[in-house]
Amino acid sequence: MAKILLFFMLMFSLTSHLFAEQAQVKTLLIASHPYPEKSTFIKGLEEAARSVKGVEVRNLESLYGYDTRAINGAKEREITRQYDRIVFLFPTHWFNITPMMKAYLNETWGSVGPDLWKGKEMLIVSTAAGGSSTYGKNGRIGVELKDVFLPMKASALHCGMTYLEPLVFEAVSHSKLESYQKALIERLSK
């Protein structure tokens, strides 16, 4: 597994000059993975996002470890105010966001009124191991992966944000990582 990750990271770094793009909207990407040592796709997508000029990437576990009480809400609010688009990058974690992402929202968004984020855009980017047997009209849960994040959409709308169509990757495969990276770069460059 480590060799595969190393191969894809090396391949991305060698081809990253092909991806040199610039975000049209000043963008803050908040990344989280509950098991970063096992992360392949979120790490790969995070690296792709870092290659886009005008995108700042903040990884919650890198900044705060796993302590959901350590998040500095005031500092995160100040950072968030500087951006027009907020992107949340995480693996789908039992049909939800990750624990650190939830803590981030509680600490950063929970104690302020909805107008703080008014006019900003929200984009959800997520990965899932499950495919059509889990998601979609005929899947076990009966909804599309992008629709699992309805609470995030409700939060965005409550705050006066524009909720953008989520970018989701289901039935993720190592052989498709580069195409996922390109898709993310393309979305961030709009």
Side-chain angles (χ1 to χ4, degrees):
M1 180 68 106
K3 287 181 181 179
I4 292 172
L5 176 60
L6 183 60
F7 169 75
F8 280 110
M9 297 304 270
L10 178 60
M11 183 173 63
F12 177 75
S13 67
L14 292 174
T15 60
S16 64
H17 68 281
L18 299 174
F19 299 130
E21 298 286 338
Q22 176 146 355
Q24 300 299 310
V25 176
K26 195 170 179 190
T27 301
L28 173 64
L29 185 141
I30 305 296
S32 176
H33 193 296
Y35 311 105
E37 69 282 356
K38 296 179 182 179
S39 173
T40 300
F41 303 107
I42 298 304
K43 280 183 184 175
L45 291 169
E46 189 176 327
E47 287 304 312
R50 289 182 191 283
S51 75
V52 180
K53 294 176 186 167
V55 175
E56 179 180 344
V57 177
R58 294 182 60 77
N59 182 293
L60 296 176
E61 285 77 15
S62 295
L63 294 167
Y64 299 109
Y66 301 99
D67 186 354
T68 57
R69 295 167 295 167
I71 295 172
N72 183 335
K75 179 179 180 181
E76 296 299 330
R77 277 190 294 282
E78 283 305 311
I79 292 167
T80 302
R81 284 185 181 99
Q82 300 171 35
Y83 295 88
D84 299 314
R85 179 188 300 145
I86 313 302
V87 178
F88 294 99
L89 170 65
F90 55 90
T92 302
H93 190 77
W94 277 102
F95 312 106
N96 211 324
I97 61 178
T98 65
M100 284 300 287
M101 190 73 70
K102 176 64 171 127
Y104 169 87
L105 290 172
N106 288 346
E107 293 301 319
T108 307
W109 295 37
S111 62
V112 296
D115 287 340
L116 185 59
W117 315 126
K118 191 173 188 172
K120 295 181 184 296
E121 299 175 343
M122 179 192 286
L123 173 63
I124 302 297
V125 180
S126 190
T127 61
S132 61
S133 66
T134 302
Y135 302 104
K137 178 173 72 169
N138 298 319
R140 281 190 299 272
I141 68 168
V143 298
E144 300 291 330
L145 175 57
K146 67 183 177 114
D147 296 326
V148 167
F149 308 111
L150 186 59
M152 293 295 285
K153 180 178 182 178
S155 296
L157 297 177
H158 174 72
C159 293
M161 298 177 82
T162 300
Y163 185 75
L164 303 174
E165 182 73 16
L167 177 61
V168 295
F169 306 102
E170 60 183 68
V172 291
S173 165
H174 293 286
S175 65
K176 296 181 182 176
L177 179 57
E178 187 176 347
S179 68
Y180 305 154
Q181 291 171 319
K182 287 179 181 178
L184 177 59
I185 289 167
E186 182 179 314
R187 282 297 293 275
L188 293 176
S189 300
K190 292 183 178 180

